Amino acid sequence: MDIHIIPCLKDNYAYIVENKKTKNACVIDPSESAPIKDFLNKNKLNLKFILNTHHHADHVGGNLELKKEFNSKILGFEKDKERIPGIDIVLKNRQIWNFENSDVLIEHVPGHTSGHIFYYFKNEEAAFTGDTLFSFGCGRLFEGSYLEMVNSLKKIKSLPSKTKIFCGHEYTMSNLKFCIEIDKNNAELKKKYNQISNNIKNKLPSVPSDLSDEMNLNIFLKFDDYKFKKQLGFQDLNEVDFFKKIRDLKDNF
């Protein structure tokens, strides 16, 4: 299957997953309907399903119009069933859902919101992480605790290292600037910054990122890295307190 990146609103991304043989498709987090409809109609795709990672308006704004036009089914997590517009199929934690003979793992990852999930397409080795894990960053905590967010990020870290991370927003340059501010002497971070900066100048998206790069360079995932914590003088902080320290610094960056 092919994965298509659809820019929406100011800095959102929606994603269309297409079965090239059947021309059936699903969309993840359609914040608005117009760019999704344009792509589907241009490529003569049949939108079977609408997948939401969480209930925020900039991830579900296109739900109802797309459902009406394409007679699609809307999916979301059971804890968000009262908050996701037009929901038809209620998903459970650790459920395997099947799309076009591709198994999709559903994982509950509270923190950004209480009902947030990610979708891991096993055959495609692709994780759609919404606003939990960004490219070289992570989401703000609106409804969950720091402990919940750490445990949620651990779930993503446990995926195969070659997993492609498709996140909800184009925040990558800001996130990399913050990572470099904290991890000043990391040459790999600076190389990644220059590479992605060139991509964006050429109007290319920064996504997807590789989970292996996230594990290596994303400081929000280093809560269990004693050597890194010692480098910053935070070796006495446990995983949650270290993550809280970094998240609070980013909130004020």
Side-chain angles (χ1 to χ4, degrees):
M1 287 195 282
D2 282 344
I3 299 171
H4 306 283
I5 302 168
I6 313 294
C8 296
L9 302 178
K10 180 184 175 184
D11 54 29
N12 277 75
Y13 285 129
Y15 301 100
I16 291 174
V17 182
E18 170 200 356
N19 183 322
K20 291 178 286 186
K21 291 182 179 179
T22 66
K23 306 300 281 184
N24 289 333
C26 66
V27 63
I28 297 98
D29 286 350
S31 52
E32 56 180 336
S33 62
I36 311 300
K37 288 197 291 185
D38 288 348
F39 186 91
L40 294 168
N41 291 329
K42 180 180 178 182
N43 292 279
K44 296 182 171 57
L45 301 181
N46 179 26
L47 184 66
K48 302 286 284 185
F49 299 100
I50 297 164
L51 283 55
N52 296 134
T53 60
H54 63 296
H55 74 281
H56 282 165
D58 63 335
H59 292 257
V60 303
N63 275 18
L64 296 179
E65 194 168 338
L66 291 170
K67 178 179 179 176
K68 181 179 179 181
E69 177 144 343
F70 296 97
N71 196 30
S72 314
K73 298 292 186 184
I74 295 173
L75 286 70
F77 190 54
E78 58 184 349
K79 287 190 175 181
D80 264 353
K81 64 183 179 181
E82 305 300 328
R83 304 199 289 184
I84 289 180
I87 191 168
D88 298 293
I89 299 171
V90 174
L91 302 168
K92 297 182 180 298
N93 186 38
R94 299 290 299 168
Q95 178 178 339
I96 303 294
W97 177 71
N98 189 275
F99 174 67
E100 299 288 299
N101 296 316
S102 179
D103 283 340
V104 182
L105 171 66
I106 314 302
E107 284 270 17
H108 182 214
V109 282
H112 180 68
T113 65
S114 60
H116 204 300
I117 55 176
F118 73 76
Y119 298 88
Y120 173 61
F121 283 65
K122 292 185 177 182
N123 290 350
E124 288 67 38
E125 298 177 320
F128 298 89
T129 58
D131 289 359
T132 297
L133 180 68
F134 292 128
S135 295
F136 310 104
C138 78
R140 290 177 179 266
L141 279 70
F142 290 123
E143 297 177 1
S145 68
Y146 293 99
L147 174 59
E148 284 179 315
M149 193 63 153
V150 166
N151 287 334
S152 293
L153 292 172
K154 284 181 178 180
K155 290 184 179 182
I156 298 174
K157 287 178 70 172
S158 72
L159 294 172
S161 62
K162 56 186 175 180
T163 300
K164 299 289 186 185
I165 302 295
F166 293 87
C167 62
H169 291 269
E170 183 55 83
Y171 292 162
T172 308
M173 292 304 294
S174 172
N175 290 336
L176 282 169
K177 286 176 184 176
F178 175 71
C179 286
I180 291 170
E181 177 69 20
I182 302 297
D183 194 6
K184 290 181 170 62
N185 298 317
N186 191 322
E188 285 186 71
L189 260 178
K190 293 171 183 176
K191 182 179 178 181
K192 181 65 69 174
Y193 179 92
N194 290 333
Q195 173 195 328
I196 291 178
S197 178
N198 286 333
N199 286 349
I200 289 176
K201 284 175 185 174
N202 291 317
K203 298 186 177 179
L204 298 172
S206 68
V207 295
S209 63
D210 293 326
L211 182 57
S212 57
D213 279 345
E214 297 295 333
M215 300 274 280
N216 189 35
L217 300 175
N218 187 338
I219 62 175
F220 290 98
L221 299 183
K222 292 182 178 290
F223 44 77
D224 54 358
D225 185 338
Y226 178 79
K227 184 178 177 182
F228 182 71
K229 290 195 285 188
K230 187 175 181 181
Q231 173 187 320
L232 300 182
F234 297 149
Q235 64 269 26
D236 294 332
L237 297 181
N238 63 31
E239 291 181 356
V240 176
D241 287 343
F242 175 78
F243 175 79
K244 181 180 186 301
K245 180 76 173 177
I246 298 298
R247 184 63 258 179
D248 291 351
L249 286 170
K250 179 63 166 69
D251 288 344
N252 295 291
F253 181 63

